[in-house]
Amino acid sequence: MDRFAAMEAFVRVVESGTFTKAADALGRPKAAVTRLIQQLEAQLRVKLLHRTTRRVTVTPEGMTYYQQALRLLGEVRNLEATLTQTRRGPRGRLRVESSGTLSRLLLIPALPAFCARYPQLQIELGVSDRVVDLLSDNVDCAIRGGAVKDESLVARHLGDLDYWACASPRYLERHGPPHHPLELAGASHAMVSYFASPSGKPLPFTFLRGAERLEVQGRGQLLLNETNAYLAAGLAGLGVMIAPRFVVEPYLATGELVPVLEGWQPEARPIFLVYPPARQRDAGLRVFIDWVVELFASRTNVWRRDG
């Protein structure tokens, strides 16, 4: 039995929750991964996993082994990266998840310089607004908005995203401009709403004016769960929209959107880069994190300014 391969297979099964996903991540047949785990359990003379038709769970002994195996594998990868990085630089596959607007307007336009600097790194960019499970989906890192509730992930705060309220001239011709956030919950106005997947519940918007803080659940006919579609709905005149400043600024400059609710400021939204602790020693992930931090810091039209 290849002890290192068995250890790596076991870690992948624990993180992904199934033998099938672990086999896909390792590029091995499922039967080979199953055989490695069986050999490992036989060698250790202990049951590491409980298997059902739908899910694999870890025994207490398996969790102890997983934690130590994770540390040892991390040290091996760090040693390999240290020996090879100076000679040939980071290489391999890097799987990243980000929303549509951040990818389209920030990441992708800047990626040519990153790819030129690290030609041996292959970026797999998953673009969606859904919150993926980084371990089970074999994702190295993700850029997310809002509070990070998963305490098992390392979270790097990139900044607080500045939001503006605006509407299209077509909408304002029909409804007039709202002057108070509570009007958005009444019968005279509509909002383009955003709903969270997979719950399907519309997200409320919070407005600030001095010491006042109002949370509004606006009414409207259309709810969306993707940021580019949300922008298109606002431009089409389907309601008042609350969107990142860097997204709407070009449309405000051309008059396709008009700012509303003067004096009221939509609450800023924190943005984080998150990743599993086991991945933080990977050379490719480290250089990508440094690049993202530098990129976002340089975009002064993205973040909420003090005062």
Side-chain angles (χ1 to χ4, degrees):
M1 177 186 69
D2 185 332
R3 185 73 62 86
F4 187 84
M7 188 183 300
E8 190 169 35
F10 174 70
V11 166
R12 287 293 189 184
V13 171
V14 172
E15 292 181 342
S16 65
T18 70
F19 280 82
T20 300
K21 288 185 177 180
D24 290 342
L26 293 168
R28 289 172 173 264
K30 179 182 175 183
V33 173
T34 301
R35 186 165 55 252
L36 282 170
I37 301 301
Q38 291 172 343
Q39 292 172 346
L40 183 62
E41 289 180 322
Q43 177 74 27
L44 297 172
R45 297 181 181 180
V46 66
K47 191 173 184 62
L48 299 173
L49 300 169
H50 290 302
R51 302 162 179 83
T52 67
T53 56
R54 293 187 176 182
R55 188 77 179 172
V56 176
T57 57
V58 191
T59 66
E61 295 81 2
M63 181 54 66
T64 299
Y65 186 84
Y66 166 75
Q67 292 169 344
Q68 294 299 320
L70 200 63
R71 180 182 60 81
L72 289 172
L73 289 171
E75 290 179 354
V76 170
R77 293 192 184 98
N78 188 48
L79 175 61
E80 291 174 346
T82 300
L83 293 175
T84 61
Q85 185 174 355
T86 301
R87 181 170 58 87
R88 64 185 187 182
R91 61 174 53 204
R93 164 196 170 279
L94 191 66
R95 174 71 185 278
V96 181
E97 287 284 329
S98 178
S99 72
T101 51
L102 287 176
S103 298
R104 179 171 62 89
L105 298 177
L106 290 181
L107 287 180
I108 293 175
L111 269 175
F114 179 84
C115 293
R117 192 186 309 176
Y118 303 107
Q120 301 301 321
L121 270 179
Q122 181 186 54
I123 307 296
E124 293 182 8
L125 181 59
V127 180
S128 75
D129 287 356
R130 72 184 183 95
V131 178
V132 302
D133 185 318
L134 270 63
L135 293 178
S136 65
D137 289 338
N138 199 29
V139 174
D140 294 293
C141 68
I143 300 173
R144 291 180 179 172
V148 179
K149 299 179 181 179
D150 190 343
E151 296 182 355
S152 68
L153 299 176
V154 179
R156 181 77 176 265
H157 184 216
L158 298 174
D160 296 310
L161 204 59
D162 199 6
Y163 277 74
W164 284 358
C166 52
S168 73
R170 184 188 312 177
Y171 174 86
L172 296 175
E173 287 173 6
R174 294 197 309 266
H175 301 274
H179 301 289
H180 193 281
L182 292 180
E183 293 180 43
L184 302 177
S188 60
H189 280 283
M191 284 192 70
V192 182
S193 296
Y194 192 96
F195 72 89
S197 300
S199 71
K201 295 181 179 180
L203 300 179
F205 291 99
T206 302
F207 294 87
L208 308 173
R209 184 175 68 178
E212 292 183 84
R213 187 176 189 274
L214 289 175
E215 188 174 277
V216 178
Q217 186 70 71
R219 58 177 296 277
Q221 288 185 296
L222 182 64
L223 292 86
L224 303 111
N225 68 342
E226 198 277 326
T227 48
N228 286 314
Y230 182 85
L231 172 64
L235 290 167
L238 289 165
V240 175
M241 63 183 296
I242 313 298
R245 174 164 59 109
F246 78 98
V247 173
V248 299
E249 269 185 331
Y251 303 97
L252 294 171
T254 62
E256 295 173 87
L257 290 174
V258 178
V260 297
L261 295 173
E262 184 177 354
W264 288 92
Q265 178 66 59
E267 188 172 44
R269 183 174 173 84
I271 299 292
F272 294 90
L273 190 148
V274 297
Y275 54 92
R279 308 285 175 91
Q280 61 188 341
R281 294 188 177 186
D282 181 82
L285 179 59
R286 289 202 306 269
V287 297
F288 183 78
I289 291 172
D290 291 342
W291 175 77
V292 168
V293 170
E294 181 182 345
L295 171 66
F296 277 60
S298 69
R299 296 301 299 267
T300 56
N301 69 324
V302 171
W303 309 117
R304 173 64 48 84
R305 292 167 291 190
D306 294 336

